[in-house]
Amino acid sequence: MKTYNIFFILLLLLSIEVNPQSPKKSSSGEIYQSIQKLKILGTVLYVAAHPDDENTRLISYFSNHIHARTAYLSLTRGDGGQNLIGPEIRELLGVIRTNELLQARKIDGGNQFFTRANDFGYSKNPEETLKFWNEEEILSDMVKVIREFQPDVIVNRFDIESAGKTHGHHTSSAILSSKAFDLAADANYRLNNSQAWKSNRLFFNTSWWFYGSKENFEKADKSKMLSVDTGVYFPSSGLSNTEISSLSRSKHKSQGFGSTGSRGSQMEYLELIKGNMPENKNVFDGIDTSWNRVEGGTDIKEILDGVERNFDFNDPSSSVSELVKAYSLIKKIDDDYWREFKTDQIIEIIAACMGLYLEAISDNPNATPGDEIKINLEVINRSDQKIILDSYSISNGINSKEVQTSSSLENNKRLNFKNSLLLPLKAPFSSPYWLIEEGSLGMYKVLKNDLIGKPVANTNNYVFFNVSINGIIIPFKRNIKYKFNDPVKGEVYQPFEIVPEVSSKITSNVILFNEDSPKEIPVIVTAHKDDVQGIIKMKIPIGWQVSPVEIPFKILKKDEEISKIFIITPTKEQNEGFVEPIIESNGNTYTKSMIEINYGHIPKQTVLLPAKAKVVRLDLVKKGNTIGYIKGAGDEVPKYLQQIGYKVTVIDPKTISKNSLGKFDAVIMGIRAYNTLEILKIKQNFILEYVKNGGNLIVQYNTSRRLLVKENLAPYKLQLSRDRVTEEDAMVTFLNPDHEMFNYPNKITKNDFEGWVQERGLYFPDEWANEFTPLLSMHDKGESPKKGSLLVAKYGKGNYIYTGLSFFRELPAGVPGAYKLFANMISLGKNDLEKEIKK
């Protein structure tokens, strides 16, 4: 075996960060590892609830050290969390986290699956979780994944017995996994003609945390536990397994989970839940993971053993002839599962050995159904192997166009071809499949059964390059993509997408009417092809009025936008509903907004969501006009405060000085500002001085974990906790109903806490100085009252307000009472004249 340069792998890992859509170009070391994986016929499925729950150390260990086919089944897409990299929440955050998981799996070598469960937010026990999740549907999804992936071993991240000690989703994932383990093996459990599959073992990936302390864990009975040292070192890459797992975990950027690589021994523990205990402490004990497990596999094993033994790192192409022989044998085995998977696996190894570069590039990043797009094809063989491009076929998902070429592919001589692809008139749009239909709070609705479980839908637009090697024709599949040259980034790849002819949007998803006067509502219409025309209508709530009834439009050029104004008149009394633009063009109706998600660590993509906006008629009074806002993590609150009528200035915290804040009627700290803005350590004294001099400071929720400013977070003692109220309809008690906060300038009643979404609030303080006045009490069922959701203290001439109420969710949802209460917080201390009049 000859040595090779480890820097190829390191460069590849770096390239994933720069351009997640770039085609894979394997080094000799990666090819060799792929050959080792080709020899192993074992499977492991890791199961948990959310993106970031997975143990990347174990996934990488099973994939890269054991060489088993490994996957992570995340029950949800993480839709209910917070976003540290941008403003996206809920469905759009789920799209981001789905793709972060896919990028993580590219690094640790795993596959990725999901169920239809929607992460509706934090829950405290599985009973609460399963009120929103459809247990029967999620179990069927899990059984579908198990039967299709056929894991020999399943590993749960969480403990069935942990109810009430951790997130209810976590415990639910373990409970449902245990049930799915049995159901998948039950032939009487009918599921779309799938065949029963019995996994050998179910483990729980335990640790000292579940025992309360390391000391308790040391004393625990470990007779049913396996220990695995995941800190193994790979000389082939110059990386330890734990370093690879840190690179994988660092893809969870929206959660701020950047991880520093570690080295040295790292023990993981697997506690047997179901199945027989391995005698030799190996998870695959008694399971044949060689090619001998399938009929006809002995000859394949012999060939691959020779390929591994004789692999030339300086000339991987010397293995091609033997690999082609193995390919021919694999195509003949009767086992459908291993035949399909190993065929795909060996095809890509053969291409990598020859440096065979195959590419299909569209001349446009997107197109509409019925369009004809131009395709540029590139083919190059970078080896001495004598091969022929027999033909290529371009598919649109319904039919394909085959072109005979019979072109000899000589070493390092590129061939280019031009062709076209006609998209079907009924081609599906490129949008996340789980968002096409409207689901429920706890479940996504997916109409196509074959999509359930998949992270994303497969593209319908691809090219098969049919290459003849030693007389055997092998089809190499490549998806059609788009690429361009960026002056800074260089070569940039994007998915090729199919989009509607026209889309629309209303610039704000919430529009407040503080009186019954009409408002002009602009509708922005974007054409996604040339020469689009039609009419725009506006669907409105009952009792509201719109003028005009319809507006004609015409757009000549693709990507051009126009804005049309509708005048909306609300009801006289408080009311809320939705307005929705409806576009009629070329006999079709369009009601979707096209949203672009474009971050460097995941593929660029578009998401189609209803173009509707919530309209709220409410009677709201505010005091003060100017607000200074210090943005936190994924913070969109400022634009909703502007809806009330405030002039909001977003403050760069680096510019805060002794006198810089005095001009503001209120200064508001964005969500998790003290968790994310290091600069606040040295600016906090100026902020508190602002309060002392008569300012009004509102601090929104922070977490106790990674709190950057602790000692002087508030002018008096204030201790944050993990207390939260997850039931959005939990009863709210006014501890001090006569307080200014509840009476001026807006009267706040219990009715103002109706219609809240996802939760009441989170990370409330549980200890505070006597200077603070708690204003609200609330709690989830069966729990003690939590009084730290809204605290106010006088400090000097000003007011310090701390709130864990989830305004960052309620304001975007257009909850009227949340707007009224926030206006009262801003107005605190400015109501003296009004109070005198009301007396």
Side-chain angles (χ1 to χ4, degrees):
M1 185 183 301
K2 299 181 180 179
T3 59
Y4 56 98
N5 194 335
I6 66 171
F7 293 109
F8 286 121
I9 293 179
L10 299 177
L11 287 171
L12 178 71
L13 292 173
L14 290 172
S15 72
I16 291 173
E17 175 66 34
V18 173
N19 195 342
Q21 281 290 293
S22 295
K24 185 176 176 66
K25 302 169 186 175
S26 299
S27 68
S28 294
E30 289 178 302
I31 296 170
Y32 182 72
Q33 187 181 46
S34 296
I35 291 169
Q36 291 179 313
K37 290 184 177 183
L38 187 61
K39 294 177 57 183
I40 301 299
L41 280 69
T43 51
V44 179
L45 180 66
Y46 200 90
V47 180
H50 310 106
D52 87 350
D53 285 344
E54 81 274 24
N55 187 334
T56 55
R57 290 186 297 270
L58 268 180
I59 291 175
S60 179
Y61 175 86
F62 284 126
S63 178
N64 298 311
H65 183 67
I66 303 299
H67 298 130
R69 191 182 189 203
T70 309
Y72 174 43
L73 171 57
S74 176
L75 268 59
T76 76
R77 297 175 185 267
D79 329 72
Q82 284 87 54
N83 184 359
L84 289 182
I85 62 172
E88 297 87 357
I89 58 174
R90 294 300 305 143
E91 295 92 345
L92 296 179
L93 179 57
V95 174
I96 291 172
R97 292 189 173 174
T98 293
N99 283 277
E100 287 178 336
L101 276 178
L102 289 173
Q103 296 306 310
R105 298 294 81 81
K106 281 186 178 182
I107 290 176
D108 59 38
N111 296 86
Q112 184 63 52
F113 298 107
F114 294 94
T115 73
R116 286 171 286 177
N118 190 338
D119 178 4
F120 56 84
Y122 192 88
S123 68
K124 295 181 177 178
N125 53 65
E127 291 74 26
E128 181 185 351
T129 298
L130 295 175
K131 283 197 310 182
F132 297 98
W133 286 358
N134 184 312
E135 181 174 348
E136 182 179 339
E137 289 185 358
I138 293 177
L139 277 173
S140 73
D141 294 356
M142 298 176 78
V143 170
K144 180 176 185 290
V145 169
I146 291 171
R147 289 181 174 180
E148 291 180 356
F149 188 69
Q150 298 186 12
D152 298 309
V153 175
I154 299 177
V155 181
N156 288 345
R157 183 66 182 106
F158 298 105
D159 182 13
I160 292 175
E161 306 299 327
S162 65
K165 300 176 184 177
T166 182
H167 199 320
H169 296 184
H170 292 169
T171 311
S172 297
S173 73
I175 293 170
L176 296 175
S177 178
S178 181
K179 292 181 179 180
F181 179 91
D182 295 329
L183 285 175
D186 185 355
N188 294 319
Y189 184 79
R190 305 289 182 179
L191 186 65
N192 302 312
N193 299 317
S194 63
Q195 298 297 311
W197 174 259
K198 182 174 178 58
S199 299
N200 293 69
R201 300 178 181 103
L202 174 66
F203 291 101
F204 158 45
N205 180 197
T206 189
S207 70
W208 67 263
W209 185 90
F210 292 94
Y211 287 77
S213 70
K214 293 181 180 180
E215 291 75 17
N216 290 342
F217 186 61
E218 288 296 324
K219 299 173 186 176
D221 177 13
K222 297 184 177 63
S223 60
K224 286 193 173 183
M225 287 188 202
L226 302 181
S227 60
V228 178
D229 188 353
T230 61
V232 293
Y233 173 67
F234 301 121
S236 58
S237 67
L239 296 171
S240 67
N241 183 69
T242 45
E243 286 175 310
I244 292 173
S245 72
S246 292
L247 290 168
S248 171
R249 190 160 183 79
S250 294
K251 288 300 175 185
H252 295 296
K253 296 186 185 300
S254 65
Q255 302 185 70
F257 278 174
S259 175
T260 300
S262 63
R263 289 146 293 281
S265 179
Q266 176 71 56
M267 302 305 296
E268 292 288 342
Y269 296 89
L270 302 174
E271 180 181 345
L272 185 71
I273 304 299
K274 292 184 177 181
N276 60 313
M277 188 67 184
E279 293 182 6
N280 65 358
K281 302 296 184 179
N282 183 319
V283 294
F284 285 107
D285 184 40
I287 304 170
D288 189 351
T289 61
S290 75
W291 273 98
N292 293 329
R293 84 182 287 173
V294 299
E295 186 176 349
T298 304
D299 292 340
I300 299 170
K301 179 181 182 300
E302 185 177 338
I303 293 172
L304 295 179
D305 284 344
V307 170
E308 181 186 17
R309 188 169 53 248
N310 300 314
F311 187 76
D312 186 340
F313 287 97
N314 288 325
D315 183 17
S317 67
S318 62
S319 299
V320 168
S321 292
E322 290 300 294
L323 287 169
V324 170
K325 290 179 185 178
Y327 165 80
S328 298
L329 294 176
I330 291 171
K331 291 288 289 181
K332 295 176 182 177
I333 64 174
D334 291 332
D335 189 305
D336 293 341
Y337 174 78
W338 288 113
R339 183 182 65 251
E340 292 177 12
F341 171 60
K342 291 299 181 180
T343 294
D344 291 342
Q345 203 174 24
I346 198 169
I347 283 175
E348 292 309 314
I349 293 173
I350 291 169
C353 283
M354 297 186 295
L356 182 61
Y357 186 83
L358 306 164
E359 186 174 80
I361 301 296
S362 165
D363 65 339
N364 268 292
N366 55 54
T368 62
D371 286 349
E372 185 172 32
I373 60 171
K374 295 178 181 178
I375 305 293
N376 296 306
L377 308 171
E378 179 181 332
V379 182
I380 186 169
N381 165 32
R382 290 172 286 187
S383 74
D384 288 327
Q385 286 291 314
K386 305 299 181 184
I387 63 176
I388 295 171
L389 178 64
D390 182 78
S391 64
Y392 64 85
S393 58
I394 306 176
S395 176
N396 64 10
I398 295 178
N399 49 56
S400 61
K401 176 172 60 176
E402 185 165 356
V403 179
Q404 297 294 324
T405 59
S406 301
S407 301
S408 177
L409 299 178
E410 298 180 18
N411 187 357
N412 216 30
K413 291 189 176 180
R414 185 180 62 202
L415 293 180
N416 292 98
F417 304 92
K418 292 185 182 296
N419 215 305
S420 61
L421 173 66
L422 182 63
L423 299 175
L425 289 172
K426 297 294 184 181
F429 299 135
S430 302
S431 187
Y433 73 83
W434 62 95
L435 298 179
I436 293 174
E437 301 290 332
E438 185 174 358
S440 65
L441 177 63
M443 296 294 295
Y444 282 119
K445 184 176 181 180
V446 180
L447 297 182
K448 293 185 177 181
N449 179 70
D450 63 315
L451 291 175
I452 293 173
K454 290 184 177 181
V456 294
N458 294 330
T459 179
N460 289 323
N461 305 299
Y462 52 84
V463 176
F464 272 117
F465 295 89
N466 303 306
V467 178
S468 177
I469 308 173
N470 297 343
I472 305 296
I473 294 180
I474 301 178
F476 297 89
K477 182 181 179 181
R478 295 293 181 266
N479 293 336
I480 295 173
K481 297 181 180 180
Y482 173 73
K483 75 174 180 180
F484 65 95
N485 185 73
D486 182 274
V488 175
K489 299 176 183 178
E491 187 178 60
V492 176
Y493 285 82
Q494 295 176 187
F496 167 71
E497 297 179 311
I498 299 177
V499 299
E501 291 187 1
V502 63
S503 63
S504 63
K505 65 180 178 182
I506 298 174
T507 51
S508 178
N509 61 320
V510 174
I511 304 168
L512 298 182
F513 291 77
N514 203 22
E515 51 188 23
D516 57 11
S517 300
K519 276 191 175 183
E520 292 186 346
I521 307 299
V523 175
I524 298 172
V525 180
T526 305
H528 304 295
K529 65 180 300 181
D530 291 341
D531 195 17
V532 177
Q533 57 184 321
I535 58 171
I536 314 166
K537 298 179 180 179
M538 184 72 85
K539 185 178 179 181
I540 58 172
I542 295 174
W544 294 57
Q545 296 177 357
V546 60
S547 176
V549 175
E550 61 182 46
I551 301 174
F553 75 94
K554 183 173 184 178
I555 305 176
L556 297 178
K557 293 295 182 181
K558 179 179 179 177
D559 297 329
E560 189 177 326
E561 291 184 347
I562 60 168
S563 179
K564 298 293 184 180
I565 302 294
F566 285 90
I567 299 173
I568 305 292
T569 303
T571 55
K572 293 186 179 299
E573 66 283 353
Q574 182 163 310
N575 188 269
E576 56 188 280
F578 290 92
V579 294
E580 182 177 15
I582 299 173
I583 299 177
E584 296 176 0
S585 175
N586 197 27
N588 297 311
T589 300
Y590 300 95
T591 60
K592 296 293 180 76
S593 175
M594 200 165 89
I595 302 161
E596 180 181 291
I597 296 178
N598 193 8
Y599 293 100
H601 66 298
I602 58 175
K604 175 182 175 294
Q605 59 207 284
T606 57
V607 182
L608 298 175
L609 292 177
K612 63 184 180 182
K614 187 171 185 179
V615 288
V616 181
R617 166 71 175 95
L618 76 166
D619 294 313
L620 181 147
V621 180
K622 70 177 183 67
K623 295 296 177 71
N625 292 303
T626 59
I627 292 173
Y629 198 99
I630 301 170
K631 294 189 78 170
D635 200 337
E636 289 256 277
V637 169
K639 73 177 186 181
Y640 298 104
L641 297 180
Q642 289 171 337
Q643 285 271 2
I644 301 176
Y646 287 107
K647 180 181 179 182
V648 181
T649 300
V650 175
I651 300 171
D652 180 349
K654 290 186 292 217
T655 67
I656 296 175
S657 62
K658 183 176 180 179
N659 299 313
S660 65
L661 303 178
K663 60 187 176 183
F664 296 113
D665 293 311
V667 171
I668 302 174
M669 308 300 296
I671 57 174
R672 297 177 70 179
Y674 289 109
N675 296 128
T676 58
L677 299 175
E678 192 87 22
I679 190 69
L680 292 180
K681 286 181 179 180
I682 60 176
K683 299 294 185 179
Q684 180 68 356
N685 288 334
F686 295 138
I687 295 172
L688 293 182
E689 189 69 18
Y690 160 78
V691 183
K692 190 174 184 179
N693 292 333
N696 196 7
L697 178 67
I698 300 170
V699 180
Q700 297 179 85
Y701 96 93
N702 291 267
T703 67
S704 55
R705 184 183 175 205
R706 298 177 185 171
L707 188 62
L708 298 169
V709 178
K710 297 180 181 179
E711 300 302 322
N712 64 338
L713 176 66
Y716 314 110
K717 179 185 175 182
L718 184 69
Q719 179 177 291
L720 304 186
S721 74
R722 306 288 291 179
D723 288 350
R724 63 198 300 166
V725 176
T726 63
E727 296 170 9
E728 62 270 17
D729 57 353
M731 187 177 71
V732 176
T733 300
F734 291 64
L735 298 175
N736 193 338
D738 295 328
H739 195 277
E740 180 180 346
M741 190 82 79
F742 298 137
N743 293 281
Y744 306 100
N746 304 286
K747 181 66 176 176
I748 304 297
T749 70
K750 290 186 177 181
N751 292 338
D752 290 305
F753 287 92
E754 294 180 358
W756 283 50
V757 298
Q758 188 160 330
E759 59 197 341
R760 287 295 190 200
L762 60 171
Y763 303 115
F764 301 159
D766 61 352
E767 291 185 30
W768 50 83
N770 291 332
E771 286 83 355
F772 280 105
T773 300
L775 297 180
L776 296 171
S777 175
M778 58 189 70
H779 61 89
D780 289 324
K781 292 181 181 65
E783 294 193 356
S784 60
K786 305 293 185 291
K787 299 181 179 181
S789 64
L790 183 58
L791 303 171
V792 61
K794 194 74 179 174
Y795 179 57
K797 299 177 182 178
N799 297 289
Y800 180 100
I801 302 168
Y802 189 95
T803 179
L805 294 171
S806 58
F807 288 106
F808 73 103
R809 297 196 189 282
E810 312 314 319
L811 300 185
V815 178
Y819 278 92
K820 291 169 65 178
L821 182 55
F822 213 115
N824 279 17
M825 290 195 300
I826 295 171
S827 303
L828 190 64
K830 303 177 179 66
N831 297 297
D832 290 344
L833 179 61
E834 182 174 349
K835 287 190 286 185
E836 289 175 9
I837 293 173
K838 288 190 176 182
K839 285 180 182 177

